[in-house]
Amino acid sequence: MPTSKQARLNRLLSNGRCLDIAVDHGVCNEPSFLSGLEDMPRVMDQLVAAGPDAIQLNYGQADLLQGRAGRDKPALVMRVDMGNPYNATRHRVMWAVLQNEHDPVLPAVQMDAACAVINLFMLPDEPDLFRQCVANIARVRADCDRYGMPLMIEPLVMAPHAERGGYMVDGDAEKIVTLVRLAREMGADIVKADPTSNPQDFHRVVQAARCPVLVRGGGKEDLQQVFARSRVLLDQGAVGMVYGRNVYQHRDPSAVVQALMSMIHRGVSAEVAWNLYESASAKRA
């Protein structure tokens, strides 16, 4: 790996591990995703104070992080694509495009990002969407190599569009492993993967990736279940987590971050993490 890529990875993966808080949901054009993200300067104040390893943003909000002085702020993970698969309404045409078609990775370089992230969607009966993602990755991978920017690929296997709206995660281990392997074959430096339905199968995802794997959090859930599943996935070889709604839609994001950081960097159990969360939350009550 080129030295410039490794330098950025070192900034992202503190001690080889990472908690990345994703607040890049604005490009999804889905109103339900914006609950808790209405006031982005306030959200950024909370998250920076909470102290995760990284915060995931789009170019238009990255200044809220990178405009801050000091060396101890979280690393920037910048999304470089956008698409419509997350919408509650199913569209006649599914698409995924680069946010900057002319030079897609340059904005990440200009904002001093530690990593660029891009989707690899696999939806039922949507081969054109898959082909668009492959073309996007091929373009971005070449630019990442040119600029020395680590590439995080997000392989997402989704189930058919649900009656309640939206494509949901398909946790089939065989499908996830196969798509993660494709991400690695295309040059992923980091993989952001969905959890398998049986978390005990996740070591297969790690083996297929042959690079650091972060687990995608998905929608908001019961926090004790989040901690319990996270512990199993970390024990299966994941080096960290990417959580969004389970943090920014929570009443005490800092307490959640503190507990997750303890699991990722100190290896504490889900029970200890829950106790840390309750203690930190009680102090701010």
Side-chain angles (χ1 to χ4, degrees):
M1 179 180 295
T3 302
S4 53
K5 271 195 180 185
Q6 189 59 59
R8 287 187 168 99
L9 279 176
N10 291 343
R11 184 148 47 100
L12 177 67
L13 301 173
S14 176
N15 299 321
R17 309 186 75 77
C18 180
L19 173 62
D20 176 16
I21 306 301
V23 288
D24 56 344
H25 300 69
V27 294
C28 298
N29 199 34
E30 174 52 44
S32 64
F33 284 9
L34 299 182
S35 176
L37 294 179
E38 297 87 353
D39 185 348
M40 282 298 290
R42 179 175 176 273
V43 169
M44 199 58 51
D45 287 341
Q46 287 183 320
L47 292 180
V48 171
D53 296 298
I55 299 177
Q56 189 168 301
L57 294 156
N58 296 293
Y59 176 77
Q61 303 282 8
D63 64 301
L64 293 174
L65 176 61
Q66 299 300 71
R68 294 169 184 263
R71 292 179 289 180
D72 296 330
K73 62 178 178 282
L76 170 64
V77 173
M78 185 179 288
R79 177 164 295 286
V80 296
D81 66 337
M82 60 190 296
N84 65 353
Y86 288 111
N87 294 165
T89 301
R90 190 178 190 278
H91 301 281
R92 288 187 299 107
V93 176
M94 305 302 295
W95 53 268
V97 300
L98 297 171
Q99 293 187 31
N100 181 349
E101 292 186 356
H102 175 66
D103 201 341
V105 180
L106 180 59
V109 176
Q110 292 172 328
M111 294 303 294
D112 193 31
C115 181
V117 59
I118 189 168
N119 286 308
L120 176 56
F121 289 119
M122 180 169 280
L123 274 60
D125 300 319
E126 294 290 349
D128 287 342
L129 176 64
F130 180 73
R131 183 176 179 176
Q132 289 174 47
C133 289
V134 169
N136 289 342
I137 291 168
R139 168 71 187 281
V140 167
R141 199 270 328 272
D143 282 355
C144 281
D145 289 344
R146 180 160 60 98
Y147 286 121
M149 178 67 65
L151 176 60
M152 180 190 296
I153 298 180
E154 190 171 346
L156 301 177
V157 182
M158 293 187 173
H161 199 278
E163 290 183 3
R164 56 185 167 144
Y167 287 96
M168 304 300 168
V169 172
D170 185 335
D172 185 295
E174 202 69 33
K175 295 177 183 176
I176 293 174
V177 166
T178 303
L179 195 60
V180 166
R181 177 60 182 266
L182 175 59
R184 175 57 182 174
E185 298 288 346
M186 293 198 71
D189 299 302
I190 308 171
V191 165
K192 173 184 172 186
D194 278 321
T196 48
S197 294
N198 180 356
Q200 299 288 348
D201 291 332
F202 199 75
H203 65 278
R204 297 177 54 200
V205 177
V206 174
Q207 181 184 45
R210 207 173 62 79
C211 66
V213 176
L214 304 179
V215 184
R216 175 176 173 262
K220 188 178 180 184
E221 301 177 72
D222 174 80
L223 199 55
Q224 283 185 289
Q225 290 183 333
V226 168
F227 290 165
R229 184 180 66 242
S230 297
R231 182 68 269 161
V232 175
L233 294 165
L234 290 166
D235 291 342
Q236 287 285 305
V239 303
M241 320 297 295
V242 182
Y243 278 120
R245 283 166 282 175
N246 282 294
V247 175
Y248 71 75
Q249 289 184 346
H250 199 276
R251 62 183 175 83
D252 194 342
S254 291
V256 179
V257 168
Q258 182 177 330
L260 289 169
M261 289 287 281
S262 295
M263 294 181 71
I264 292 168
H265 291 286
R266 290 167 40 206
V268 307
S269 68
E271 293 76 13
V272 170
W274 176 254
N275 291 336
L276 288 169
Y277 158 75
E278 287 195 309
S279 175
S281 189
K283 289 178 181 177
R284 281 186 283 272

